Amino acid sequence: EAGVTQFPSHSVIEKGQTVTLRCDPISGHDNLYWYRRVMGKEIKFLLHFVKESKQDESGMPNNRFLAERTGGTYSTLKVQPAELEDSGVYFCASSQDNRVTGELFFGEGSRLTVL
Amino acid sequence: AQKITQTQPGMFVQEKEAVTLDCTYDTSDQSYGLFWYKQPSSGEMIFLIYQGSYDEQNATEGRYSLNFQKARKSANLVISASQLGDSAMYFCAMRRSGTYKYIFGTGTRLKVLA
């Protein structure tokens, strides 16, 4: 069974450009999450999808970030226009259920470098 | 406010020895879950162990055990018989019951020495 896959693994862009990150969750997982880790800091929650619906987007930094999950399968996270402080590793995770014991299955992350 | 604190940015341990990675948490909730994840150099976050706030016994998974001290709000990860492959970043996380949001600490980088 394939795990959570993310693309690209690393993206280097200029300030002001646009980047789109993609996440393919584990098949059958309704819950999909985006997290971000800025260098040396904690991993912070960005948002949560249940199927195609945004359940919680309280962690989205600002309106330069747009996440979608059309059809409830893969998700995209677009940053437009990118700023220097957006640099970090963006993790996608999925889970099958909403039990408190439910572990998250993470992808390998997409490293974004904004110059 | 919910918070996870990992005070050890880096740790060294000799191969075959045990090591404890510290984690303290702050919450006013009664029901919550505590998790440890491992992040090797490949980048993927790997689930290691889970402890529920109402679990009376410490969780164990193979060489991993969680030293849960509820009154002190600590959930330290103990790795016994360290192996070179244990070298990685380790994250402590908490999830409140009824929510989907995980709160992570800043992580501890563990290096196992041969």
Side-chain angles (χ1 to χ4, degrees), chain A residues 14-105:
Chain A
E14 300 276 339
K15 175 183 172 180
Q17 290 185 321
T18 298
V19 64
T20 300
L21 310 177
R22 172 171 171 143
C23 168
D24 286 77
I26 292 173
S27 178
H29 281 192
D30 289 339
N31 296 283
L32 186 149
Y33 311 80
W34 283 98
Y35 284 83
R36 176 175 74 171
R37 182 170 190 239
V38 174
M39 180 70 76
K41 297 193 175 182
E42 68 270 26
I43 299 170
K44 283 195 171 181
F45 169 84
L46 295 179
L47 88 159
H48 167 225
F49 283 99
V50 176
K51 297 184 180 178
E52 67 275 10
S53 299
K54 290 178 186 174
Q55 189 77 11
D56 182 352
E57 52 183 332
S58 61
M60 294 288 264
N62 50 61
N63 59 10
R64 296 185 294 103
F65 289 75
L66 175 64
E68 294 180 324
R69 192 183 182 194
T70 306
T73 54
Y74 71 91
S75 174
T76 57
L77 179 64
K78 180 190 286 187
V79 185
Q80 178 183 32
E83 297 289 343
L84 298 179
E85 63 266 25
D86 300 334
S87 295
V89 180
Y90 291 76
F91 290 100
C92 177
S94 70
S95 68
Q96 192 167 28
D97 56 51
N98 60 0
R99 293 173 298 160
V100 71
T101 57
E103 65 178 274
L104 295 184
F105 296 86

Side-chain angles (χ1 to χ4, degrees), chain A residues 35 58 91 98-99 102 104, chain B residues 37 39 95 100-102 106:
Chain A
Y35 284 83
S58 61
F91 290 100
N98 60 0
R99 293 173 298 160
L104 295 184
Chain B
Y37 283 83
Q39 186 188 31
R95 178 181 175 187
Y100 302 91
K101 190 185 300 185
Y102 285 67
T106 51

Side-chain angles (χ1 to χ4, degrees), chain B residues 76-114:
Chain B
N76 298 339
L77 177 69
V78 181
I79 305 175
S80 63
S82 297
Q83 301 172 357
L84 296 179
D86 293 334
S87 293
M89 195 77 171
Y90 289 81
F91 290 96
C92 181
M94 176 172 62
R95 178 181 175 187
R96 297 167 62 189
S97 179
T99 74
Y100 302 91
K101 190 185 300 185
Y102 285 67
I103 298 164
F104 286 86
T106 51
T108 296
R109 184 170 297 282
L110 176 67
K111 176 71 175 176
V112 180
L113 305 173

